[in-house]
mmCIF file of all heavy atoms in Angstrom:
data_model
loop_
_atom_site.group_PDB
_atom_site.id
_atom_site.type_symbol
_atom_site.label_atom_id
_atom_site.label_comp_id
_atom_site.label_asym_id
_atom_site.label_seq_id
_atom_site.Cartn_x
_atom_site.Cartn_y
_atom_site.Cartn_z
ATOM 1 N N ILE W 96 113.978 74.912 114.634
ATOM 2 C CA ILE W 96 112.912 73.914 114.545
ATOM 3 C C ILE W 96 113.030 72.832 115.632
ATOM 4 O O ILE W 96 112.039 72.438 116.232
ATOM 5 C CB ILE W 96 112.870 73.300 113.130
ATOM 6 C CG1 ILE W 96 112.410 74.350 112.116
ATOM 7 C CG2 ILE W 96 111.953 72.082 113.075
ATOM 8 C CD1 ILE W 96 112.526 73.909 110.665
ATOM 9 N N PRO W 97 114.239 72.323 115.950
ATOM 10 C CA PRO W 97 114.330 71.244 116.954
ATOM 11 C C PRO W 97 114.258 71.707 118.408
ATOM 12 O O PRO W 97 114.356 70.869 119.312
ATOM 13 C CB PRO W 97 115.715 70.613 116.681
ATOM 14 C CG PRO W 97 116.187 71.176 115.393
ATOM 15 C CD PRO W 97 115.536 72.517 115.267
ATOM 16 N N LEU W 98 114.094 73.006 118.679
ATOM 17 C CA LEU W 98 114.255 73.474 120.044
ATOM 18 C C LEU W 98 113.215 72.899 121.001
ATOM 19 O O LEU W 98 113.539 72.556 122.150
ATOM 20 C CB LEU W 98 114.214 75.004 120.082
ATOM 21 C CG LEU W 98 114.543 75.634 121.434
ATOM 22 C CD1 LEU W 98 115.903 75.188 121.945
ATOM 23 C CD2 LEU W 98 114.476 77.160 121.355
ATOM 24 N N ALA W 99 111.963 72.778 120.565
ATOM 25 C CA ALA W 99 110.953 72.216 121.467
ATOM 26 C C ALA W 99 111.292 70.780 121.844
ATOM 27 O O ALA W 99 111.142 70.378 123.004
ATOM 28 C CB ALA W 99 109.567 72.280 120.830
ATOM 29 N N THR W 100 111.745 69.990 120.880
ATOM 30 C CA THR W 100 112.154 68.613 121.171
ATOM 31 C C THR W 100 113.246 68.602 122.231
ATOM 32 O O THR W 100 113.199 67.807 123.188
ATOM 33 C CB THR W 100 112.656 67.920 119.893
ATOM 34 O OG1 THR W 100 111.580 67.839 118.959
ATOM 35 C CG2 THR W 100 113.178 66.526 120.196
ATOM 36 N N GLU W 101 114.233 69.479 122.075
ATOM 37 C CA GLU W 101 115.330 69.534 123.045
ATOM 38 C C GLU W 101 114.840 69.989 124.414
ATOM 39 O O GLU W 101 115.287 69.473 125.449
ATOM 40 C CB GLU W 101 116.436 70.465 122.531
ATOM 41 C CG GLU W 101 117.105 70.001 121.253
ATOM 42 C CD GLU W 101 117.853 68.689 121.426
ATOM 43 O OE1 GLU W 101 118.228 68.347 122.574
ATOM 44 O OE2 GLU W 101 118.050 67.981 120.418
ATOM 45 N N LEU W 102 113.928 70.935 124.458
ATOM 46 C CA LEU W 102 113.386 71.373 125.745
ATOM 47 C C LEU W 102 112.545 70.280 126.400
ATOM 48 O O LEU W 102 112.611 70.094 127.623
ATOM 49 C CB LEU W 102 112.550 72.640 125.544
ATOM 50 C CG LEU W 102 113.347 73.915 125.231
ATOM 51 C CD1 LEU W 102 112.413 75.040 124.786
ATOM 52 C CD2 LEU W 102 114.175 74.360 126.441
ATOM 53 N N ARG W 103 111.774 69.557 125.603
ATOM 54 C CA ARG W 103 110.981 68.454 126.174
ATOM 55 C C ARG W 103 111.910 67.388 126.763
ATOM 56 O O ARG W 103 111.599 66.790 127.800
ATOM 57 C CB ARG W 103 110.095 67.828 125.101
ATOM 58 C CG ARG W 103 109.093 68.749 124.415
ATOM 59 C CD ARG W 103 108.111 69.386 125.354
ATOM 60 N NE ARG W 103 107.080 70.142 124.633
ATOM 61 C CZ ARG W 103 106.356 71.104 125.171
ATOM 62 N NH1 ARG W 103 106.556 71.462 126.437
ATOM 63 N NH2 ARG W 103 105.434 71.735 124.453
ATOM 64 N N ARG W 104 113.052 67.149 126.122
ATOM 65 C CA ARG W 104 114.015 66.177 126.657
ATOM 66 C C ARG W 104 114.582 66.634 127.988
ATOM 67 O O ARG W 104 115.087 65.817 128.766
ATOM 68 C CB ARG W 104 115.146 65.979 125.653
ATOM 69 C CG ARG W 104 114.742 65.176 124.424
ATOM 70 C CD ARG W 104 115.845 65.147 123.382
ATOM 71 N NE ARG W 104 115.444 64.351 122.224
ATOM 72 C CZ ARG W 104 116.093 64.342 121.066
ATOM 73 N NH1 ARG W 104 117.182 65.096 120.907
ATOM 74 N NH2 ARG W 104 115.660 63.589 120.064
ATOM 75 N N ARG W 105 114.519 67.924 128.251
ATOM 76 C CA ARG W 105 114.987 68.467 129.525
ATOM 77 C C ARG W 105 113.836 68.675 130.488
ATOM 78 O O ARG W 105 113.925 69.466 131.427
ATOM 79 C CB ARG W 105 115.755 69.768 129.263
ATOM 80 C CG ARG W 105 117.111 69.511 128.602
ATOM 81 C CD ARG W 105 117.595 70.669 127.758
ATOM 82 N NE ARG W 105 118.879 70.368 127.119
ATOM 83 C CZ ARG W 105 119.034 69.601 126.028
ATOM 84 N NH1 ARG W 105 117.963 69.049 125.460
ATOM 85 N NH2 ARG W 105 120.226 69.373 125.522
ATOM 86 N N ASN W 106 112.748 67.973 130.210
ATOM 87 C CA ASN W 106 111.573 67.931 131.093
ATOM 88 C C ASN W 106 110.854 69.270 131.202
ATOM 89 O O ASN W 106 110.226 69.572 132.217
ATOM 90 C CB ASN W 106 111.960 67.429 132.492
ATOM 91 C CG ASN W 106 110.772 66.834 133.227
ATOM 92 O OD1 ASN W 106 109.894 66.213 132.609
ATOM 93 N ND2 ASN W 106 110.724 67.006 134.547
ATOM 94 N N ILE W 107 110.937 70.083 130.134
ATOM 95 C CA ILE W 107 110.171 71.325 130.093
ATOM 96 C C ILE W 107 108.789 71.007 129.533
ATOM 97 O O ILE W 107 108.654 70.589 128.386
ATOM 98 C CB ILE W 107 110.869 72.384 129.220
ATOM 99 C CG1 ILE W 107 112.273 72.677 129.758
ATOM 100 C CG2 ILE W 107 110.040 73.650 129.142
ATOM 101 C CD1 ILE W 107 112.301 73.233 131.163
ATOM 102 N N ARG W 108 107.774 71.169 130.343
ATOM 103 C CA ARG W 108 106.401 70.835 129.940
ATOM 104 C C ARG W 108 105.538 72.076 129.736
ATOM 105 O O ARG W 108 104.316 71.977 129.624
ATOM 106 C CB ARG W 108 105.762 69.912 131.000
ATOM 107 C CG ARG W 108 106.496 68.570 131.118
ATOM 108 C CD ARG W 108 106.291 67.730 129.867
ATOM 109 N NE ARG W 108 107.074 66.495 129.869
ATOM 110 C CZ ARG W 108 108.193 66.314 129.203
ATOM 111 N NH1 ARG W 108 108.688 67.312 128.469
ATOM 112 N NH2 ARG W 108 108.839 65.171 129.237
ATOM 113 N N ASN W 109 106.164 73.210 129.688
ATOM 114 C CA ASN W 109 105.436 74.468 129.476
ATOM 115 C C ASN W 109 104.851 74.527 128.070
ATOM 116 O O ASN W 109 105.210 73.753 127.191
ATOM 117 C CB ASN W 109 106.384 75.655 129.670
ATOM 118 C CG ASN W 109 107.009 75.691 131.043
ATOM 119 O OD1 ASN W 109 107.671 74.739 131.445
ATOM 120 N ND2 ASN W 109 106.841 76.791 131.748
ATOM 121 N N LYS W 110 103.964 75.483 127.868
ATOM 122 C CA LYS W 110 103.469 75.757 126.525
ATOM 123 C C LYS W 110 104.615 76.302 125.677
ATOM 124 O O LYS W 110 105.298 77.262 126.068
ATOM 125 C CB LYS W 110 102.345 76.794 126.560
ATOM 126 C CG LYS W 110 101.025 76.282 127.124
ATOM 127 C CD LYS W 110 100.280 75.474 126.088
ATOM 128 C CE LYS W 110 98.869 75.147 126.559
ATOM 129 N NZ LYS W 110 98.124 74.350 125.552
ATOM 130 N N ILE W 111 104.838 75.694 124.516
ATOM 131 C CA ILE W 111 105.898 76.146 123.616
ATOM 132 C C ILE W 111 105.291 76.341 122.229
ATOM 133 O O ILE W 111 104.697 75.419 121.667
ATOM 134 C CB ILE W 111 107.054 75.134 123.519
ATOM 135 C CG1 ILE W 111 107.574 74.748 124.917
ATOM 136 C CG2 ILE W 111 108.198 75.730 122.699
ATOM 137 C CD1 ILE W 111 108.682 73.706 124.874
ATOM 138 N N GLY W 112 105.447 77.532 121.699
ATOM 139 C CA GLY W 112 104.952 77.833 120.360
ATOM 140 C C GLY W 112 106.095 78.118 119.413
ATOM 141 O O GLY W 112 107.197 78.498 119.821
ATOM 142 N N PHE W 113 105.822 77.940 118.124
ATOM 143 C CA PHE W 113 106.819 78.178 117.073
ATOM 144 C C PHE W 113 106.183 79.032 115.991
ATOM 145 O O PHE W 113 105.010 78.848 115.648
ATOM 146 C CB PHE W 113 107.276 76.845 116.472
ATOM 147 C CG PHE W 113 108.271 76.970 115.346
ATOM 148 C CD1 PHE W 113 109.621 77.146 115.617
ATOM 149 C CD2 PHE W 113 107.869 76.918 114.015
ATOM 150 C CE1 PHE W 113 110.544 77.272 114.590
ATOM 151 C CE2 PHE W 113 108.782 77.042 112.980
ATOM 152 C CZ PHE W 113 110.126 77.217 113.272
ATOM 153 N N TYR W 114 106.962 79.980 115.455
ATOM 154 C CA TYR W 114 106.475 80.776 114.328
ATOM 155 C C TYR W 114 107.497 80.733 113.212
ATOM 156 O O TYR W 114 108.679 81.049 113.416
ATOM 157 C CB TYR W 114 106.204 82.224 114.739
ATOM 158 C CG TYR W 114 105.441 82.970 113.664
ATOM 159 C CD1 TYR W 114 104.060 82.853 113.581
ATOM 160 C CD2 TYR W 114 106.103 83.729 112.713
ATOM 161 C CE1 TYR W 114 103.355 83.496 112.568
ATOM 162 C CE2 TYR W 114 105.408 84.373 111.707
ATOM 163 C CZ TYR W 114 104.036 84.255 111.638
ATOM 164 O OH TYR W 114 103.341 84.882 110.634
ATOM 165 N N LEU W 115 107.020 80.357 112.025
ATOM 166 C CA LEU W 115 107.876 80.267 110.842
ATOM 167 C C LEU W 115 107.738 81.557 110.040
ATOM 168 O O LEU W 115 106.652 81.870 109.551
ATOM 169 C CB LEU W 115 107.475 79.065 109.994
ATOM 170 C CG LEU W 115 108.328 78.805 108.756
ATOM 171 C CD1 LEU W 115 109.753 78.421 109.144
ATOM 172 C CD2 LEU W 115 107.703 77.701 107.893
ATOM 173 N N HIS W 116 108.835 82.286 109.886
ATOM 174 C CA HIS W 116 108.799 83.573 109.194
ATOM 175 C C HIS W 116 109.036 83.451 107.699
ATOM 176 O O HIS W 116 108.998 84.469 106.994
ATOM 177 C CB HIS W 116 109.813 84.526 109.811
ATOM 178 C CG HIS W 116 109.455 84.979 111.197
ATOM 179 N ND1 HIS W 116 108.812 86.160 111.461
ATOM 180 C CD2 HIS W 116 109.639 84.389 112.398
ATOM 181 C CE1 HIS W 116 108.618 86.295 112.764
ATOM 182 N NE2 HIS W 116 109.119 85.231 113.354
ATOM 183 N N ILE W 117 109.294 82.254 107.201
ATOM 184 C CA ILE W 117 109.521 82.037 105.771
ATOM 185 C C ILE W 117 108.463 81.055 105.264
ATOM 186 O O ILE W 117 107.741 80.457 106.061
ATOM 187 C CB ILE W 117 110.949 81.522 105.497
ATOM 188 C CG1 ILE W 117 111.184 80.136 106.132
ATOM 189 C CG2 ILE W 117 111.978 82.525 106.017
ATOM 190 C CD1 ILE W 117 112.535 79.526 105.794
ATOM 191 N N PRO W 118 108.343 80.865 103.957
ATOM 192 C CA PRO W 118 107.312 79.950 103.447
ATOM 193 C C PRO W 118 107.582 78.508 103.877
ATOM 194 O O PRO W 118 108.726 78.111 104.113
ATOM 195 C CB PRO W 118 107.427 80.085 101.922
ATOM 196 C CG PRO W 118 108.231 81.311 101.676
ATOM 197 C CD PRO W 118 109.111 81.491 102.858
ATOM 198 N N PHE W 119 106.518 77.709 103.923
ATOM 199 C CA PHE W 119 106.666 76.274 104.153
ATOM 200 C C PHE W 119 106.773 75.594 102.789
ATOM 201 O O PHE W 119 106.061 75.955 101.853
ATOM 202 C CB PHE W 119 105.473 75.717 104.918
ATOM 203 C CG PHE W 119 105.712 74.336 105.456
ATOM 204 C CD1 PHE W 119 106.441 74.153 106.619
ATOM 205 C CD2 PHE W 119 105.244 73.213 104.786
ATOM 206 C CE1 PHE W 119 106.693 72.876 107.118
ATOM 207 C CE2 PHE W 119 105.485 71.943 105.263
ATOM 208 C CZ PHE W 119 106.202 71.762 106.434
ATOM 209 N N PRO W 120 107.671 74.617 102.650
ATOM 210 C CA PRO W 120 107.937 74.054 101.318
ATOM 211 C C PRO W 120 106.845 73.107 100.839
ATOM 212 O O PRO W 120 106.052 72.575 101.624
ATOM 213 C CB PRO W 120 109.259 73.304 101.517
ATOM 214 C CG PRO W 120 109.254 72.908 102.956
ATOM 215 C CD PRO W 120 108.567 74.045 103.677
ATOM 216 N N THR W 121 106.838 72.874 99.543
ATOM 217 C CA THR W 121 105.962 71.862 98.952
ATOM 218 C C THR W 121 106.470 70.475 99.328
ATOM 219 O O THR W 121 107.615 70.310 99.773
ATOM 220 C CB THR W 121 105.969 71.994 97.426
ATOM 221 O OG1 THR W 121 107.307 71.775 96.954
ATOM 222 C CG2 THR W 121 105.484 73.373 96.992
ATOM 223 N N PRO W 122 105.649 69.414 99.164
ATOM 224 C CA PRO W 122 106.093 68.069 99.537
ATOM 225 C C PRO W 122 107.391 67.633 98.864
ATOM 226 O O PRO W 122 108.265 67.053 99.517
ATOM 227 C CB PRO W 122 104.909 67.189 99.123
ATOM 228 C CG PRO W 122 103.722 68.076 99.263
ATOM 229 C CD PRO W 122 104.200 69.429 98.833
ATOM 230 N N ASP W 123 107.549 67.905 97.575
ATOM 231 C CA ASP W 123 108.772 67.482 96.896
ATOM 232 C C ASP W 123 109.999 68.168 97.487
ATOM 233 O O ASP W 123 111.038 67.540 97.705
ATOM 234 C CB ASP W 123 108.683 67.793 95.401
ATOM 235 C CG ASP W 123 107.792 66.814 94.653
ATOM 236 O OD1 ASP W 123 107.480 65.751 95.236
ATOM 237 O OD2 ASP W 123 107.417 67.108 93.508
ATOM 238 N N ALA W 124 109.891 69.472 97.745
ATOM 239 C CA ALA W 124 111.023 70.193 98.329
ATOM 240 C C ALA W 124 111.306 69.710 99.742
ATOM 241 O O ALA W 124 112.463 69.567 100.151
ATOM 242 C CB ALA W 124 110.747 71.697 98.319
ATOM 243 N N LEU W 125 110.249 69.430 100.486
ATOM 244 C CA LEU W 125 110.426 68.931 101.853
ATOM 245 C C LEU W 125 111.132 67.583 101.843
ATOM 246 O O LEU W 125 112.032 67.315 102.662
ATOM 247 C CB LEU W 125 109.064 68.830 102.543
ATOM 248 C CG LEU W 125 109.053 68.548 104.040
ATOM 249 C CD1 LEU W 125 109.869 69.582 104.797
ATOM 250 C CD2 LEU W 125 107.619 68.538 104.548
ATOM 251 N N ASN W 126 110.757 66.729 100.921
ATOM 252 C CA ASN W 126 111.393 65.410 100.838
ATOM 253 C C ASN W 126 112.867 65.485 100.464
ATOM 254 O O ASN W 126 113.621 64.535 100.703
ATOM 255 C CB ASN W 126 110.644 64.539 99.813
ATOM 256 C CG ASN W 126 109.416 63.881 100.405
ATOM 257 O OD1 ASN W 126 109.451 63.360 101.513
ATOM 258 N ND2 ASN W 126 108.312 63.916 99.678
ATOM 259 N N ALA W 127 113.291 66.582 99.863
ATOM 260 C CA ALA W 127 114.692 66.732 99.471
ATOM 261 C C ALA W 127 115.585 67.181 100.622
ATOM 262 O O ALA W 127 116.809 67.166 100.496
ATOM 263 C CB ALA W 127 114.804 67.739 98.319
ATOM 264 N N ILE W 128 114.990 67.567 101.754
ATOM 265 C CA ILE W 128 115.763 68.058 102.892
ATOM 266 C C ILE W 128 116.252 66.872 103.719
ATOM 267 O O ILE W 128 115.451 66.022 104.123
ATOM 268 C CB ILE W 128 114.906 68.993 103.764
ATOM 269 C CG1 ILE W 128 114.483 70.220 102.960
ATOM 270 C CG2 ILE W 128 115.669 69.412 105.021
ATOM 271 C CD1 ILE W 128 113.469 71.097 103.680
ATOM 272 N N PRO W 129 117.547 66.781 103.991
ATOM 273 C CA PRO W 129 118.036 65.690 104.839
ATOM 274 C C PRO W 129 117.366 65.712 106.212
ATOM 275 O O PRO W 129 117.157 66.779 106.793
ATOM 276 C CB PRO W 129 119.540 65.982 104.967
ATOM 277 C CG PRO W 129 119.872 66.874 103.835
ATOM 278 C CD PRO W 129 118.631 67.673 103.547
ATOM 279 N N HIS W 130 116.976 64.536 106.701
ATOM 280 C CA HIS W 130 116.380 64.377 108.034
ATOM 281 C C HIS W 130 115.034 65.100 108.157
ATOM 282 O O HIS W 130 114.654 65.526 109.242
ATOM 283 C CB HIS W 130 117.337 64.881 109.124
ATOM 284 C CG HIS W 130 118.710 64.278 109.055
ATOM 285 N ND1 HIS W 130 118.990 63.010 109.526
ATOM 286 C CD2 HIS W 130 119.869 64.764 108.552
ATOM 287 C CE1 HIS W 130 120.276 62.742 109.328
ATOM 288 N NE2 HIS W 130 120.830 63.775 108.721
ATOM 289 N N HIS W 131 114.322 65.227 107.032
ATOM 290 C CA HIS W 131 113.063 65.968 107.091
ATOM 291 C C HIS W 131 112.037 65.297 107.999
ATOM 292 O O HIS W 131 111.214 65.977 108.608
ATOM 293 C CB HIS W 131 112.481 66.170 105.691
ATOM 294 C CG HIS W 131 112.115 64.915 104.987
ATOM 295 N ND1 HIS W 131 113.030 64.149 104.306
ATOM 296 C CD2 HIS W 131 110.916 64.271 104.859
ATOM 297 C CE1 HIS W 131 112.426 63.102 103.784
ATOM 298 N NE2 HIS W 131 111.151 63.149 104.101
ATOM 299 N N GLU W 132 112.081 63.971 108.130
ATOM 300 C CA GLU W 132 111.127 63.304 109.016
ATOM 301 C C GLU W 132 111.355 63.739 110.464
ATOM 302 O O GLU W 132 110.400 64.021 111.193
ATOM 303 C CB GLU W 132 111.257 61.787 108.883
ATOM 304 C CG GLU W 132 110.252 61.020 109.737
ATOM 305 C CD GLU W 132 110.239 59.532 109.433
ATOM 306 O OE1 GLU W 132 110.954 59.098 108.499
ATOM 307 O OE2 GLU W 132 109.522 58.803 110.128
#
C-alpha cells in the first residue's frame, strides 16, 4: 500500500496504479488498523 508514496518521494511522477486482491474493510475495521490514516 505505501509503495506509491515512497516512489513519489523519490521523484517518480509516472502513472502508478494499485490493485487490491482482497476485500476492502468496513469503517469500523479500518479504524482498528494502526496508522490507518
Side-chain angles (χ1 to χ4, degrees):
I96 292 172
L98 187 56
T100 297
E101 296 296 337
L102 288 169
R103 301 301 186 201
R104 287 173 179 167
R105 289 153 181 78
N106 204 35
I107 301 299
R108 297 291 174 258
N109 301 58
K110 288 281 189 180
I111 308 178
F113 178 82
Y114 192 83
L115 183 66
H116 291 264
I117 64 175
F119 193 80
T121 61
D123 284 345
L125 190 56
N126 277 316
I128 298 172
H130 307 281
H131 63 277
E132 182 171 356

